[in-house]
Every structure is written in C-alpha cells, then in structure tokens.
C-alpha cells in the first residue's frame, strides 16, 4: 500500500468520527427480497403495515417529516439466496458498502411514498482506481 | 528516522481534522484577512477573494474535465432561520468595494480585479458567519432533467477545495487540513467525503455510463448517517445542517466511471423513475433541461 492509499484509507476511517448527524434508530433488518417488494404498496401502506410485513429497522427521520427506512435484502432468486441475511453477512456487506438494500420512503403523513431496491453492485474492472 | 516517525505521529491527528474540515463550515470564522469596514454586518460569513480567484484559475486549468461547463459559486443556507432572499454580496478590500450580483438561484460569478487582489479583499455577504455555506456549481448545459455529470462534480470538488469554500472553525486546524488535502489529492480518493447538495430532498442517486448502471448505497446519501450515526448536537458542525436530506457523496476517484458518467438524482417528491430516458442518452449531449442553465 503506497502512501496515498494509506492516507486515503485513514481519511475514510476518520470520516466516521467527522460525520454529520440526524435521528437514526435501530440496526438494519434483513428481509427476503420477494417479501420486501410484494408487501408494500406505494400510496397505501402505512408504517404499521410495513412493520407488520417486514419488521422495524434502521430509520432516518428528516425535519421535513419524511422518513427513510433501510432494510438489507438477499438476492431475489429462489432458493437459499432468497433467505434473510445473517447478522454476520449484513455486517460484512455493510462494511464493504456492497450490501443490497431495500429502502422505503414515508411521507410526513406516514404513508409509503415510494420504495427502491439496490442490488449489490457488480465489481467492475479498474474500480476504485 | 525521527522526522519520519514524527510525520506519522502527526498524520492521524491531521487526518481527523481534515475530515471535520470537509464536513463543516465555520461557525464563527476568525481570519487573518485585512481589516475591512462593514457597517451593516458584524462577523459576516466571508471568504477570501484571492482564494476564490485561485479556484477560478484551477477551473480554467482543468476545464477539460468539463469542456462545455461554466463555473459559478453558490450560497446555501446553513441554519433553519437563514433568510436567503435579498442577499447583498460585495468584494471588500481596504479601499475598494465591488458589488456582486446574485442570481435568483443564489449563484454568482466573480470578476477579476487587480486592486482587490492586491488588497487581499474578502467576499462578504450581508449574513452572519455560520448562517450560510458555499459551494461551486459547475454544470454542463443540456443534460437531461435531474441529472448531473460526474466530470462536472469532480471539478466542483477540486475547485471548491482550491477556493477554500469548505473549512473549519479554528485557523490552525484549517491550515493543517488544507495542508493534508493538498498532499493527498482529496478529490481523487475513491470515496471522498465531499458533500454535494441536490436541488431538493433526495431518495436515490444512480450512476450511468455506457451500458453500466449502479445505484449508490444509502450510505452515500444523507451525509452517510446510515453508516455513521452521530448525535444531533454534532449536526451543528456540519454545513449540511439544514440540507441533510439533499446531501450525497460520489466515488470521485473511481476512474472506472468516466467523466461523462451521468449522475441521476431521484427526489423524494418525484413520481415514477424513468431509467429508460437515461439509457437513451449516451453522452452529455445538449438537451432541454430544467436543471441545467
């Protein structure tokens, strides 16, 4: 590791000390992708509906009243990959920045505005250079 | 050997300071700028005219990263009660005062003035320190709506740091951090913690280049609080304080994403996502846009 890389790594590490803040509650909850995508209807589902379907999870609340709920999910393929991730898997994926995500956005009135899934990004040649 | 050891003993401290610098704007900046007479505002949120011109010079030098883009500086609110209407901006030296027009979107440009340079003038809005923050705005014209270009944003980071728009409270810490940033090429790091601000509250950011597309992790949004939650009181040290839902980081140093990469911003109040419209745009070709000027 050259000097620049070492410095960059240190910068990223200390970013945790320097980061900004907002109310964030709970740890991420792992869900199976099909359950996440099918259980929620934008414009209809309430917070209670989402908790009933997927459970409570990490939440970011903004002054505007909007909330973002963050779930980590597994691949949508049937079989073992459709199962919730273990805590260890979640921790490793989150640390690497490659954790698949399922996000739910709530309006200030507490209804789901929209959702999005983020698959784990594919490793690309030359990435990070 | 001693010099080597000392260098590495100081490094972690300097790096921690640097991170805070990149996040924060001065609450009450104390500068060594020349004395100026401000009758209407005490403790204004000022910047160095000389450094801002240096930023403009760097923009010209690196214009190839954003060949058709223009540079403007931008004022953003930092407090919930900051009044962004009717801001009066001036370049103020010992014996010279130059008014600077501000556009309705709170952007402005600076003209070069040799006398103001010689007098090491300050750029001073009629707002108190800590009430606003500053950024560069480098935009390629004609991009699709809600879309930025990665090369423009890479250059925003470079010029923003060169112009010293992002800084921290104590002068000593600021100087140390500037030194570290200069040594490390901060904006070339794979994931620099340089805060970009979108026009409206964000829900998703997607990079698209050629046939490749990638949604950024939520950890790259909202100043990274999903990854590093920090107490609400510490938020006051971040210049994202009232813009938290509009902040995002980008993998600026990841050269597998070319400068022509499109950065699509999906806002909380957007309707359906239209990824197809992005895929139809192979490069930053001029098109009608409500975001681009």
């Amino acid at each position: 590791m050259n000097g620049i890389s070492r410095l960059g790594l240190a910068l990223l590490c200390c970013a945790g000390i320097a980061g900004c803040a907002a109310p964030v509650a709970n740890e991420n909850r792992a869900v199976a992708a099909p359950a996440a995508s099918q259980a929620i209807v934008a414009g209809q589902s309430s917070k209670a509906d989402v908790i009933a379907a997927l459970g409570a999870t990490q939440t970011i609340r903004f002054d505007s009243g909007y909330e973002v709920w963050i779930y980590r999910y597994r691949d949508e393929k049937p079989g073992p990959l459709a199962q919730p991730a273990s805590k260890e898997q979640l921790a490793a994926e989150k640390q690497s920045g490659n954790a698949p995500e399922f996000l739910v956005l709530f309006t200030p009135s507490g209804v789901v505005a929209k959702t999005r899934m983020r698959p784990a990004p594919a490793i690309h040649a030359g990435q990070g250079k | 050997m001693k010099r080597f050891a000392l260098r590495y003993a100081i490094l972690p401290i300097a790096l921690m300071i640097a991170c805070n610098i990149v996040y924060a704007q001065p609450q009450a900046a104390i500068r060594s700028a020349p004395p100026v007479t401000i009758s209407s505002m005490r403790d204004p949120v000022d910047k160095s005219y000389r450094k801002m011109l240096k930023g403009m010079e760097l923009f010209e030098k690196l214009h190839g990263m954003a060949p058709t883009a223009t540079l403007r500086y931008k004022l953003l609110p930092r407090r919930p009660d900051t009044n962004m209407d009717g801001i009066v901006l001036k370049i103020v030296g010992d014996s010279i005062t130059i008014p600077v027009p501000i556009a309705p979107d709170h952007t402005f440009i600076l003209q070069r003035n040799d006398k103001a340079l010689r007098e090491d003038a300050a750029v001073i809005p009629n707002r108190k320190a800590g009430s606003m923050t500053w950024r560069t705005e480098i935009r390629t014209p004609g991009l699709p709506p809600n879309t930025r270009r990665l090369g423009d944003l890479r250059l925003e980071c470079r010029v923003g740091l060169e112009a010293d728009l992002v800084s921290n409270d104590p002068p000593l810490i600021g100087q140390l951090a500037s030194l570290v940033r200069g040594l490390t090429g901060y904006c070339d790091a794979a994931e620099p913690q340089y805060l970009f601000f979108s026009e409206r509250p964000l829900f998703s950011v997607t990079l698209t280049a050629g046939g490749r597309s990638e949604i950024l992790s939520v950890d790259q949004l909202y100043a990274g609080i999903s990854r590093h939650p920090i107490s609400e009181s510490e938020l006051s040290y971040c210049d994202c304080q009232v813009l938290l839902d509009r902040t995002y980081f980008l993998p600026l140093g990841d050269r597998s994403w070319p400068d022509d990469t499109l950065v699509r911003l999906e806002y909380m109040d957007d309707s359906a996502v239209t990824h197809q419209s992005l895929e139809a745009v192979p490069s930053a070709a001029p098109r009608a846009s409500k975001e681009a000027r």
Side-chain angles (χ1 to χ4, degrees):
Chain A
M1 185 183 286
N2 62 28
I4 297 291
S5 301
R6 197 177 295 122
L7 284 169
L9 182 62
L11 278 170
L12 292 176
C13 292
C14 73
I17 302 167
C20 303
V24 179
N26 305 326
E27 282 300 304
N28 297 129
R29 187 180 185 89
V31 296
S37 60
Q38 293 167 12
I40 298 172
V41 181
Q44 293 183 20
S45 299
S46 66
K47 292 178 184 176
D49 295 334
V50 175
I51 289 175
L54 304 177
T57 191
Q58 186 180 27
T59 301
I60 303 174
R61 300 184 182 88
F62 298 104
D63 291 343
S64 62
Y66 278 89
E67 291 186 16
V68 172
W69 290 19
I70 305 166
Y71 294 90
R72 310 287 172 174
Y73 77 91
R74 303 304 297 159
D75 197 293
E76 290 185 82
K77 294 173 186 173
L81 287 177
Q83 300 304 309
S86 67
K87 283 186 176 179
E88 292 74 19
Q89 285 173 313
L90 276 177
E93 288 172 342
K94 188 176 179 183
Q95 188 64 34
S96 70
N98 290 329
E101 300 167 354
F102 179 66
L103 263 60
V104 184
L105 175 68
F106 287 96
T107 63
S109 63
V111 175
V112 173
K114 60 173 87 178
T115 64
R116 71 167 169 88
M117 283 198 175
R118 179 213 184 228
I123 303 299
H124 192 274
Q127 196 159 357
K129 293 179 181 176
Chain B
M1 186 65 187
K2 279 184 179 177
R3 286 180 63 186
F4 180 84
L6 179 62
R7 183 175 157 198
Y8 280 90
I10 291 172
L11 193 58
I13 299 169
L15 289 172
M16 288 174 64
I17 291 164
C19 289
N20 275 304
I21 300 302
V22 170
Y23 270 103
Q25 283 289 103
Q27 296 271 343
I30 303 167
R31 343 187 116 257
S32 56
V36 293
T37 303
I38 304 293
S39 57
S40 57
M41 177 61 60
R42 300 179 65 181
D43 192 21
V45 54
D46 64 328
K47 292 291 175 188
S48 162
Y49 175 67
R50 185 175 285 171
K51 288 180 179 176
M52 293 183 80
L53 283 195
K54 282 185 69 178
M56 292 160 58
E57 289 166 3
L58 184 65
F59 172 75
E60 291 304 326
K61 184 179 174 184
L62 302 177
H63 209 163
M65 293 170 64
T68 62
T70 55
L71 164 66
R72 296 181 72 84
Y73 288 111
K74 184 167 190 172
L75 295 168
L76 294 147
R78 201 183 148 165
R79 302 279 184 207
D81 58 352
T82 301
N83 180 6
M84 296 299 290
D85 296 326
I87 298 170
V88 176
L89 188 65
K90 295 175 183 175
I91 300 166
V92 181
D94 290 333
S95 64
I96 188 170
T97 299
I98 306 169
V100 179
I102 299 180
D105 63 356
H106 309 123
T107 63
F108 62 92
I109 57 172
L110 294 177
Q111 303 295 337
R112 184 182 178 90
N113 183 288
D114 289 338
K115 188 174 184 184
L117 260 181
R118 282 196 304 274
E119 295 183 2
D120 196 13
V123 182
I124 305 178
N126 59 341
R127 294 292 184 274
K128 284 195 172 184
S131 64
M132 292 196 299
T133 189
W134 309 60
R135 285 293 187 277
T136 52
E137 184 154 283
I138 296 171
R139 286 181 182 262
T140 293
L143 296 180
N146 303 336
T147 302
R148 302 296 309 274
R149 181 179 169 277
L150 187 59
D152 297 3
L153 296 163
R154 283 177 169 141
L155 197 46
E156 279 194 8
C157 179
R158 298 282 292 271
V159 174
L161 294 187
E162 183 75 10
D164 199 22
L165 299 184
V166 184
S167 55
N168 205 345
D169 300 347
L172 176 60
I173 291 177
Q175 288 161 12
L176 275 172
S178 294
L179 181 64
V180 171
R181 282 198 305 267
L183 287 173
T184 58
Y186 190 83
C187 298
D188 292 328
E191 295 184 356
Q193 308 290 296
Y194 183 90
L195 287 170
F196 293 101
F197 298 119
S198 61
E199 303 294 321
R200 309 200 304 277
L202 272 175
F203 185 54
S204 182
V205 177
T206 305
L207 304 184
T208 306
R212 183 184 175 200
S213 184
E214 182 178 318
I215 300 171
L216 294 187
S217 167
V218 68
D219 297 338
Q220 302 298 308
L221 275 56
Y222 317 134
I225 59 167
S226 57
R227 196 168 184 176
H228 302 293
I230 296 184
S231 73
E232 203 160 353
S233 63
E234 289 172 292
L235 187 60
S236 63
Y237 292 97
C238 179
D239 69 355
C240 64
Q241 186 180 1
V242 297
L243 302 170
L244 191 68
D245 53 6
R246 293 165 51 179
T247 64
Y248 60 105
F249 300 131
L250 287 169
L252 299 180
D254 183 350
R255 289 292 164 177
S256 69
W257 294 106
D259 283 344
D260 275 334
T261 297
L262 294 178
V263 180
R264 186 185 184 283
L265 308 175
E266 182 189 348
Y267 296 117
M268 289 184 180
D269 59 2
D270 278 346
S271 52
V273 185
T274 53
H275 289 289
Q276 292 79 3
S277 64
L278 277 181
E279 291 163 4
V281 182
S283 67
R287 284 176 59 165
S289 167
K290 66 180 180 184
E291 278 219 342
R293 261 183 302 278

